[in-house]
């Protein structure tokens, strides 16, 4: 045994030669001065970054709302409970409608006030007050249309109860604003403050709520772009060629929503024999008119995404009766397709009276617009309803012959225009004076900026006499006529049966929608509401018309509500709407000639017929159907191409042999097919069409190309840039070769490693700071990179634009399935989350579920809400 005692743990030990030297501080002091200064500088920078990071965290977290405890809210007559589940979805309980509206305004402001403030600046044409000269052209365009002016005129048209609701809602918003600085309302205000903006939000006004409906109407406005496209093509294409690119709706292939029926003594009867229709002429257009319209189209195209593009959007909704439902009661599904954003356009919410009474009438739940009182889509205790875009032709472009600065030609003589001056405040710049001119048809949108002030100055005309200043372009649009649409929203919330539902729908002016209906008594129905103009025989709505001929004017009347198509309890037992034609050609009024061509609706109909009885889960699964309707048509022709250059290209072609035509995110065949499709459109049409009219790849092009495939020598196949005459197979072969090469560059040499979702990404951008160009700020507000399946004109309608690439441009903004047998068995999901605060865990907490095709339980009864409760905030009357 050794005599040496163990070294105590506290006693220093001898350092071995290879061990680190004792005392890092002594070593640091012995280091050269330059090294020490470099280290101190690095440490200082780290500390600064830590402080800055902490400050940023504080800035972005400061606006997060209180969701537990109690808070005093001026104006309340009694307490209101705000019960939130673990996804922060609020259910409100109160004793009066007024208190519910105040509380809704308060909660909307808690979660989404910057979005609300931003929207009211959009609709009032006041973005430049915050963002400077960059948004001036947008402000000019919206001021010219006068959205805010129209909303102010609508106030007097509303029912007293609606005005009361809007007022109470505004009181709730302002109660939240009253004791908070901008930095406590939203992180956006703090970041804008760093740029030098000195801004305090104004109080919310009831009219602010009305104005946002104009932006939604613009996004769903219909065929204005198609009117211009057809005129542009008329310069160098025949009527027959244009008609080939805008085929008539294929009623024999894709049935309308309402089959049969007719208008009898001004009332649509679903079992009546229909009336006749019209076939108006289409005028020819001189080159000067085309130039004027081309400039207007460029201006409209330059409008930012925040006010909607009006293209590539639609919706699905369907309802089945008890015989087609596993529950024995109706089921109703809806998923509106809109432009994507972060946060998304909807906020889920419930509005519940503790006891129904004359003073408290609401018990409703669903999807709301922040800034607008009530539930827009959802259900109450008795009925459920859903929306899809009707897509009626509610806009027309009128060509105006101007004389001097403020006169225009009407039937051989001149009349004065209405002229007003708008003052636009621009951050950091002088105020801008905008002179707005209007004719009997509407505002001159060709005046929107100085470069359009004299459009058409050199345009020829067939009219005798002096041409004057040339052509201008006026916009006639039903949304510019004041209407009480806000009455309809609250009317739907309170309706208890079909008659009350239709009475509410009668007030729904713009945007005109397909409304599907179900109630707990077992009835299902469909109603098309909206203000749709009656045109004279010289105007079929497909092309701009000469405003100097009064015979082209609208009559001044709208299609009477009772004459609009509707159906209750159809024999088929279900109703499917997906923006297809509403009625057949025998309907006596002109709704539009530019329907969605019905591929989605037909797929939904087929699925409903196949299933027989559907469960809630099967209804939700149908919303996720990714079957590409073009695959069945095009794939056989692609497989018939037998002379691809080598095995490298044939290996890609083989992906299509056993493909089932579906387009999930991980599908290699879907990736290949869609890239072939985009290249096919490029090779076929880009040489023959103007750039502004190149194919976007949606439903119309499915029909156009589908019909061309049977004509291998159709002139459209020929490439005008070569000396040879190409045929169908030449173009298909070239598209397949190009697609193989493109996917190899983008993803992998092995075709089995390709994935559609890696191309088809959904990038959710904040409409303001998310587009700032500042990387860290964009990363804070945006949620990018979601890989999704689906595609354009597919039931799972994650649209993409072949002009721009494969990224998602519009998508289902939410999904819901309502069970009329038990509302607590219903399901819903939002595109993003409830919160508009990027630091909130609920900013995008529903997105991953959405992308995975999942839905959340939709609690409605008080018992179910309490069982799901995670937070509870009590709003108490002040004092």
């Amino acid at each position: 045994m050794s005599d040496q005692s163990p070294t105590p743990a506290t006693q220093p030990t001898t350092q071995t030669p290879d061990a680190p030297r004792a005392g890092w501080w002594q070593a640091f002091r012995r280091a050269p001065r330059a090294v020490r200064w470099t280290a101190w500088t690095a440490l200082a920078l780290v500390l600064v970054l830590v402080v800055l990071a902490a400050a940023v965290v504080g800035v972005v977290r400061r606006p997060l709302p209180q969701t537990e405890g109690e808070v005093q809210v001026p104006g309340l007559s009694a307490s209101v409970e705000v019960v939130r589940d673990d996804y922060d979805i609020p259910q409100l309980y109160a004793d009066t409608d007024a208190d519910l509206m105040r509380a809704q305004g308060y909660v909307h402001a808690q979660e989404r006030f910057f979005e609300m403030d931003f929207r009211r600046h959009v609709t009032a044409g006041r973005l430049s007050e915050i963002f400077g000269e960059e948004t001036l052209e947008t402000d000019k365009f919206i001021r010219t249309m006068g959205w805010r002016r129209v909303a102010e005129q609508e106030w007097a048209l509303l029912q007293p109860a609606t005005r009361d609701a809007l007022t109470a809602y505004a009181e709730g918003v302002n109660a939240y604003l009253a004791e908070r600085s901008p930095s406590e309302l939203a992180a956006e205000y703090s970041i804008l403050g760093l740029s030098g903006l000195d801004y305090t939000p104004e109080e919310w006004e009831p009219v602010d709520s009305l104005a946002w409906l104009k932006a939604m109407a613009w996004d769903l406005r219909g065929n204005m772009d198609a009117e211009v496209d057809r005129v542009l093509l008329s310069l160098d294409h025949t009527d027959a060629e244009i008609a080939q690119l805008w085929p008539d709706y294929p009623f024999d292939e894709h049935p309308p929503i309402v089959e049969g029926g007719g208008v009898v003594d001004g009332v649509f009867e679903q079992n009546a024999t229909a009336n006749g229709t019209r076939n108006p002429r289409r005028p020819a257009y001189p080159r000067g008119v085309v130039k004027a319209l081309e400039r207007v189209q460029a201006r409209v195209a330059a409008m930012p995404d925040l006010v909607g593009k009006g293209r590539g959007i639609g919706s699905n909704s369907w309802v089945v009766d008890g015989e087609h439902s596993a529950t024995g009661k109706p089921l109703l599904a809806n998923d509106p397709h809109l432009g994507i954003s972060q946060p998304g356009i909807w906020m889920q919410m419930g509005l519940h009276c503790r006891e129904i009474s004359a003073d408290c009438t609401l018990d409703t739940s669903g999807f709301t617009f922040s800034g607008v009182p009530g539930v827009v889509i959802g259900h109450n205790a008795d009925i459920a309803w859903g929306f899809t875009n009707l897509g009626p032709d509610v806009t027309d472009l009128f060509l105006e012959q101007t004389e001097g600065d403020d006169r225009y030609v009407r039937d051989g003589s001149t009349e004065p225009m209405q002229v007003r001056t708008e003052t636009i405040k621009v951050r950091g710049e002088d105020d801008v004076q905008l002179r707005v001119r209007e004719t009997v048809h509407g505002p001159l949108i060709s005046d929107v900026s100085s470069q359009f002030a004299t459009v058409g100055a050199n345009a020829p005309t067939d009219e005798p006499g002096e041409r004057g200043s040339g052509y201008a372009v006026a916009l006639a649009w039903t949304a510019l006529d004041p209407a009480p649409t806000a009455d309809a929203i609250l009317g739907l919330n309170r309706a208890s049966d079909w008659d009350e539902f239709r009475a509410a729908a009668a007030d729904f002016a713009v945007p005109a929608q397909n409304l599907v209906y179900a109630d707990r008594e077992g009835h299902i129905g469909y109603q098309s509401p909206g203000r749709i103009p009656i045109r004279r025989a010289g105007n079929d709505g497909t092309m701009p018309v000469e405003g100097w001929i009064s015979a082209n004017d609208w009559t001044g009347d709208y299609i009477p509500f009772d004459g609009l198509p509707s159906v209750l309890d159809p024999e088929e037992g279900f109703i499917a709407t997906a923006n297809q034609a509403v009625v057949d050609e025998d309907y006596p009024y002109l709704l539009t000639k530019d329907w969605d061509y019905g591929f989605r609706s037909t797929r939904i109909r087929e699925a409903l017929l196949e299933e027989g009885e559907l469960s809630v889960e099967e209804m939700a699964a149908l919303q996720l159907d990714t079957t590409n309707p073009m695959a069945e048509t095009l794939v056989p022709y692609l497989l018939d191409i037998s002379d691809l250059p080598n095995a490298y290209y044939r290996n890609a072609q083989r992906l299509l042999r056993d493909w089932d035509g579906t387009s999930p995110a991980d599908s290699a065949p879907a990736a290949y097919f869609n890239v072939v499709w985009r290249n096919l459109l490029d090779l076929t049409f880009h040489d023959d069409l103007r750039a502004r009219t190149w194919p976007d790849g949606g439903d119309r092009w499915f029909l156009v190309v589908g019909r061309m495939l049977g004509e291998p020598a159709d002139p459209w196949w020929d490439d005008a840039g070569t000396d040879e005459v190409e045929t169908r197979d030449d173009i298909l072969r070239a598209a397949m070769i190009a697609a193989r090469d493109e996917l190899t560059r983008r993803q992998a040499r092995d075709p089995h490693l390709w994935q559609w979702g890696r191309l088809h990404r959904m990038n959710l951008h904040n409409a303001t700071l998310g587009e700032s160009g500042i990387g860290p700020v964009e990363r804070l507000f945006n949620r990018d990179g979601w890989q999704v399946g689906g595609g354009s004109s597919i039931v799972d309608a994650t649209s993409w634009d072949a002009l721009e690439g494969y990224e998602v441009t519009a998508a289902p903004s939410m999904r819901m399935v309502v069970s009329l047998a038990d509302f607590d068995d219903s399901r819903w999901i939002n595109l993003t989350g409830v919160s508009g605060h990027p630091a909130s865990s609920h900013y995008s907490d529903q997105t991953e579920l959405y992308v995975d095709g999942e839905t959340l339980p939709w609690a409605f009864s008080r018992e179910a809400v309490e069982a799901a409760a995670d937070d509870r905030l009590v709003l108490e009357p002040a004092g």
Side-chain angles (χ1 to χ4, degrees), residues 645-667:
N646 52 46
Y648 170 80
Y649 294 103
R650 291 192 294 273
N651 287 341
Q653 183 189 36
R654 288 193 189 99
L655 289 174
L656 302 178
R657 287 183 180 175
D658 300 317
W659 183 38
D660 62 1
T662 63
S663 305
D666 61 356
S667 172

Side-chain angles (χ1 to χ4, degrees), residues 673-713:
F673 179 84
N674 283 302
V675 178
V676 170
W677 174 242
R678 185 178 183 223
N679 279 278
L680 183 158
L681 295 171
D682 182 339
L683 294 166
T684 305
F685 296 106
H686 286 199
D687 60 319
D688 292 311
L689 302 178
R690 295 167 178 263
R692 295 192 186 279
T693 60
W694 284 349
D696 62 8
D699 61 294
R700 177 163 63 93
W701 297 100
F702 284 8
L703 191 62
V704 169
V705 174
R707 292 179 174 179
M708 285 173 51
L709 288 170
E711 302 291 336

Side-chain angles (χ1 to χ4, degrees), residues 554-861:
W554 292 357
T555 65
D557 295 322
Y558 299 107
I559 299 174
F561 177 76
D562 285 339
L564 290 168
S566 65
V567 62
L568 179 66
D569 296 330
E571 291 185 10
E572 202 167 28
F574 65 83
I575 301 165
T577 82
N579 317 113
Q580 79 271 36
V582 173
V583 290
D584 62 25
E585 296 174 291
D586 291 331
Y587 184 69
Y589 300 111
L590 176 66
L591 295 176
T592 186
K593 288 181 175 281
D594 288 302
W595 304 108
D596 179 281
Y597 283 94
F599 292 96
R600 281 180 293 116
S601 64
T602 297
R603 174 62 186 160
I604 293 167
R605 285 181 55 84
E606 291 171 350
L608 295 178
L609 289 169
E610 288 172 4
E611 288 293 342
E613 291 186 358
L614 291 103
S615 64
V616 170
E617 292 74 19
E618 288 168 330
M619 293 278 281
L622 180 52
Q623 292 177 322
L624 305 174
D625 186 283
T626 64
T627 303
N628 189 318
M630 193 60 191
E632 184 179 5
T633 302
L634 180 56
V635 165
Y637 290 93
L638 298 177
L639 292 176
D640 279 346
I641 302 298
S642 58
D643 56 346
L644 290 172
N646 52 46
Y648 170 80
Y649 294 103
R650 291 192 294 273
N651 287 341
Q653 183 189 36
R654 288 193 189 99
L655 289 174
L656 302 178
R657 287 183 180 175
D658 300 317
W659 183 38
D660 62 1
T662 63
S663 305
D666 61 356
S667 172
Y672 179 60
F673 179 84
N674 283 302
V675 178
V676 170
W677 174 242
R678 185 178 183 223
N679 279 278
L680 183 158
L681 295 171
D682 182 339
L683 294 166
T684 305
F685 296 106
H686 286 199
D687 60 319
D688 292 311
L689 302 178
R690 295 167 178 263
R692 295 192 186 279
T693 60
W694 284 349
D696 62 8
D699 61 294
R700 177 163 63 93
W701 297 100
F702 284 8
L703 191 62
V704 169
V705 174
R707 292 179 174 179
M708 285 173 51
L709 288 170
E711 302 291 336
D714 189 296
W716 290 107
W717 294 119
D718 180 40
D719 184 350
T722 71
D723 294 331
E724 300 178 5
V725 177
E726 285 82 9
T727 64
R728 175 197 65 205
D729 289 357
D730 296 323
I731 298 301
L732 296 183
R733 182 183 306 104
M736 295 168 74
I737 291 171
R740 185 5 159 168
D741 291 339
E742 180 179 343
L743 277 163
T744 300
R745 289 194 307 271
R746 285 175 173 263
Q747 294 195 13
R749 183 177 179 85
D750 182 353
H752 295 92
L753 299 178
W754 297 342
Q755 292 186 345
W756 172 224
R758 290 174 61 191
L759 292 174
H760 193 49
R761 293 176 183 265
M762 183 172 68
N763 296 322
L764 301 175
H765 281 197
N766 181 282
T768 55
L769 297 183
E771 303 291 347
S772 64
I774 304 170
V777 173
E778 291 187 348
R779 285 191 290 275
L780 173 63
F781 287 98
N782 297 339
R783 297 294 182 268
D784 289 354
W786 303 99
Q787 299 184 21
V788 298
S792 301
S793 301
I794 290 173
V795 176
D796 185 10
T798 54
S799 299
W800 55 283
D801 190 334
L803 284 169
E804 300 174 5
Y806 306 99
E807 288 187 4
V808 175
T809 57
S813 53
M814 61 82 162
R815 298 184 181 108
M816 75 175 198
V817 177
V818 182
S819 171
L820 277 297
D822 183 353
F823 287 126
D824 290 334
D825 284 341
S826 303
R827 308 289 297 186
W828 60 357
I829 195 72
N830 202 347
L831 174 63
T832 57
V834 164
S835 181
H837 303 296
S840 170
S841 60
H842 305 294
Y843 187 58
S844 58
D845 59 338
Q846 296 183 52
T847 306
E848 186 170 353
L849 297 172
Y850 171 100
V851 169
D852 290 341
E854 298 181 26
T855 56
L856 296 171
W858 183 349
F860 180 70
S861 71

Side-chain angles (χ1 to χ4, degrees), residues 68-199:
E68 293 182 298
E70 296 183 0
V71 63
Q72 291 191 339
V73 177
L76 290 178
S77 64
S79 66
V80 179
E81 297 169 85
V82 182
V83 183
R84 298 172 184 257
D85 65 11
D86 54 357
Y87 284 88
D88 213 33
I89 299 170
Q91 304 286 340
L92 281 53
Y93 293 89
D95 294 329
T96 67
D97 286 345
D99 280 352
L100 273 177
M101 295 297 96
R102 291 186 186 97
Q104 186 179 21
Y106 188 92
V107 173
H108 272 164
Q110 278 188 308
E111 299 287 1
R112 300 281 192 105
F113 181 71
F114 182 82
E115 178 187 30
M116 294 163 59
D117 193 23
F118 174 62
R119 285 176 177 177
R120 67 171 164 179
H121 278 80
V122 170
T123 56
R126 295 176 52 196
L127 284 174
S128 300
E129 295 177 15
I130 299 177
F131 299 102
E133 194 172 12
E134 182 180 348
T135 56
L136 181 57
E137 293 305 312
T138 297
D139 283 346
K140 287 181 178 181
F141 198 84
I142 291 172
R143 291 285 188 99
T144 297
M145 289 188 285
W147 291 357
R148 174 75 184 197
R149 295 175 70 249
V150 176
E152 290 171 348
Q153 295 166 19
E154 290 178 340
W155 177 254
L157 303 179
L158 298 175
Q159 296 175 8
T162 304
R163 291 200 296 269
D164 289 345
L166 289 161
T167 301
Y169 180 90
E171 291 171 355
V173 175
N174 294 330
Y176 188 73
L177 302 184
E179 298 181 356
R180 288 170 175 80
S181 66
S183 65
E184 293 172 304
L185 295 173
E188 287 92 335
Y189 293 124
S190 296
I191 293 173
L192 288 169
L194 294 175
S195 70
L197 178 68
D198 182 13
Y199 173 77

Side-chain angles (χ1 to χ4, degrees), residues 320-343:
V320 301
D321 64 15
E323 292 186 5
H324 292 76
S325 165
T327 69
K329 292 283 189 179
L331 296 171
L332 185 148
N334 193 194
D335 55 292
H337 310 153
L338 298 169
I340 56 176
S341 62
Q342 180 67 49

Side-chain angles (χ1 to χ4, degrees), residues 421-476:
T421 300
E422 298 270 348
T423 300
I424 303 176
K425 296 184 180 299
V426 183
R427 177 187 173 189
E429 304 287 343
D430 294 336
D431 293 353
V432 172
Q433 303 298 314
L434 176 67
R435 192 166 182 265
V436 179
R437 303 188 295 170
E438 294 189 14
T439 72
V440 68
H441 303 116
L444 296 185
I445 58 174
S446 52
D447 284 358
V448 165
S449 67
S450 58
Q451 72 185 95
F452 300 145
T454 57
V455 293
N458 299 314
T461 175
D462 296 330
E463 297 296 309
E466 292 295 323
R467 172 183 46 76
S469 299
Y471 294 114
V473 183
L475 171 65

